[in-house]
Amino acid sequence: MRRTVFNEDHEAFRETLRAFIEAEVVPVYDEWFAAGQAPRDFYYKLAELGLFGINVPEEFGGAGIDSYKFEAVMYEETARAGVHFGGSGVHVLLALPYIKMLATDEQKKRYLEKFVTAEEMWALAMTEPGTGSDLAGMKTTAKLSEDGTHYVLNGSKTFITGGVHADRVIVCARTAAPTAEDRRHGISLFAVDTKSEGYSIGRKLDKLGLRTSDTAELAFVDVKVPVEDLLGEENKGFYYLGHNLASERWGIAFGAYAQAKAAVRFAQQYVTDRTVFGKPVASFQNTKFELAACKAEVDAAEAVADRALEALDAGELTPAEAASAKLFCTEVAHRVIDRCLQLHGGYGFMNEYPIARLYADNRVNRIYGGTSEIMKTIIAKDMGL
């Protein structure tokens, strides 16, 4: 089946990105893996390539393209090479939609010009040590000062991707208590400068996968946040978070599909080169059947991911559709990558092989952005169940 989601511009971008990855990432990726993060300077290279400005309006230094298809190409190309761009995905896919949707013209000018050049890297801080999927249960608070010039931020966050290198973090905090009718009431969003007094980075978390992505704990002790850094209206943060969850979940779905596709490529290459009992592993019927079954699942996931991408670009991707895409693609990727690792035998367990790193990287897809169980709940509710 001919794929129609990408055009010539996307394919030209793919060629440029693939060459960049081969030249700038693959040769040093083992160093990043050992260090547990990509270097901060790498983000300037991504900015020079234009990756941070694709979806930014032209008046703020971007290309003004209102599409996620270039982001989709990046998912496919990084997965194909078995690499990860650190916290840059959060910068573009998670933080940027909030700036575009909520920031005033003054804020956009102040934020986006530095966003495009990587002078300021952004992250998003929702999760707390005691609250995961239940965002309404967050305890971090932001209280308006008596003179009305700033908020005083107190609390902590965890699992914050990009948290080590971030220069600004969109922090979700309570500005009012929940009501009996709506426990989601009272959450607000703030663009917090990480150089602020009282802002601190805790542990850089030691993760199973996504080793090159800096993930951290954050703490806020009487951090003064100017009122000019409130994003949107007070107490409407939960609504804003829900509005952007569809794009976040699409990104996880598409990334998972891309990883599954890459796993089949890695496995096919391995079994073709590897010999057992004097014959290529690829010549055995079991190998052929396993890879054929994996290919069929990847084809189905690609169709789901592409359909969700088209709906997202058209502004029509519903929360239930995004949940369905995430559930399906992440579960497919789980099965496919596991089977492809099995075809590598013992070498599949070695981190020097990309399939091993892919296996670890993929596991979080069924957890973050809402667990598979939460996705099923959303879909069931949409079904009227």
Side-chain angles (χ1 to χ4, degrees), residues 338-352:
D338 183 74
R339 292 163 83 174
C340 288
L341 186 150
Q342 187 73 16
L343 289 173
H344 282 70
Y347 289 103
F349 205 63
M350 302 295 111
N351 274 327
E352 65 186 276

Side-chain angles (χ1 to χ4, degrees), residues 40-41 43-48 52 91 109-122 165-168 193-195:
R40 178 64 174 82
D41 288 350
Y43 298 132
Y44 292 114
K45 294 182 179 181
L46 292 180
E48 290 173 6
F52 296 158
H91 183 68
K109 181 172 178 56
R110 190 154 46 91
Y111 299 150
L112 289 177
E113 291 178 358
K114 295 179 180 179
F115 181 101
V116 169
T117 63
E119 183 179 344
E120 284 190 348
M121 293 297 296
W122 287 62
H165 287 319
D167 302 287
R168 277 197 184 267
D193 186 338
T194 63
K195 296 185 295 296

Side-chain angles (χ1 to χ4, degrees), residues 190-265:
F190 300 90
V192 179
D193 186 338
T194 63
K195 296 185 295 296
S196 302
E197 184 178 352
Y199 180 105
S200 63
I201 300 170
R203 293 183 302 152
K204 181 169 75 68
L205 299 174
D206 184 17
K207 307 185 299 297
L208 169 67
L210 300 179
R211 302 285 299 183
T212 63
S213 174
D214 54 306
T215 304
E217 296 173 330
L218 306 178
F220 322 111
V221 179
D222 293 334
V223 176
K224 292 182 179 179
V225 183
V227 292
E228 292 82 7
D229 286 328
L230 171 69
L231 284 174
E233 296 182 38
E234 253 195 16
N235 303 326
K236 292 190 176 181
F238 197 94
Y239 164 76
Y240 300 143
L241 294 172
H243 184 274
N244 283 333
L245 276 175
S247 61
E248 178 182 354
R249 287 168 179 163
W250 164 81
I252 297 170
F254 204 95
Y257 137 72
Q259 289 175 324
K261 185 175 182 177
V264 173
R265 175 175 174 267

Side-chain angles (χ1 to χ4, degrees), residues 33-183:
F33 190 84
Q37 62 186 32
R40 178 64 174 82
D41 288 350
F42 173 66
Y43 298 132
Y44 292 114
K45 294 182 179 181
L46 292 180
E48 290 173 6
L49 195 64
L51 289 187
F52 296 158
I54 292 172
N55 295 332
V56 173
E58 293 182 55
E59 60 264 38
F60 304 112
I65 298 173
D66 191 17
S67 171
Y68 285 87
K69 291 184 178 180
F70 291 94
E71 187 79 6
V73 171
M74 189 179 75
Y75 279 124
E76 291 186 333
E77 290 305 307
T78 51
R80 180 185 183 278
V83 301
H84 191 264
F85 280 178
S88 65
V90 170
H91 183 68
V92 174
L93 186 65
L94 299 191
L96 182 57
Y98 288 102
I99 302 172
K100 291 174 65 177
M101 178 176 71
L102 302 176
T104 64
D105 288 343
E106 182 276 330
Q107 287 176 320
K108 287 178 181 177
K109 181 172 178 56
R110 190 154 46 91
Y111 299 150
L112 289 177
E113 291 178 358
K114 295 179 180 179
F115 181 101
V116 169
T117 63
E119 183 179 344
E120 284 190 348
M121 293 297 296
W122 287 62
L124 177 64
M126 292 190 287
T127 305
E128 298 184 358
T131 60
S133 297
D134 181 21
L135 294 177
M138 68 176 62
K139 304 298 184 184
T140 297
T141 60
K143 296 183 178 180
L144 189 63
S145 62
E146 291 185 5
D147 62 6
T149 61
H150 63 272
Y151 292 85
V152 180
L153 182 67
N154 283 283
S156 62
K157 300 290 181 178
T158 193
F159 305 147
I160 308 308
T161 303
V164 174
H165 287 319
D167 302 287
R168 277 197 184 267
V169 177
I170 298 174
V171 177
C172 312
R174 282 210 164 274
T175 45
T179 65
E181 297 77 22
D182 186 5
R183 59 191 295 268

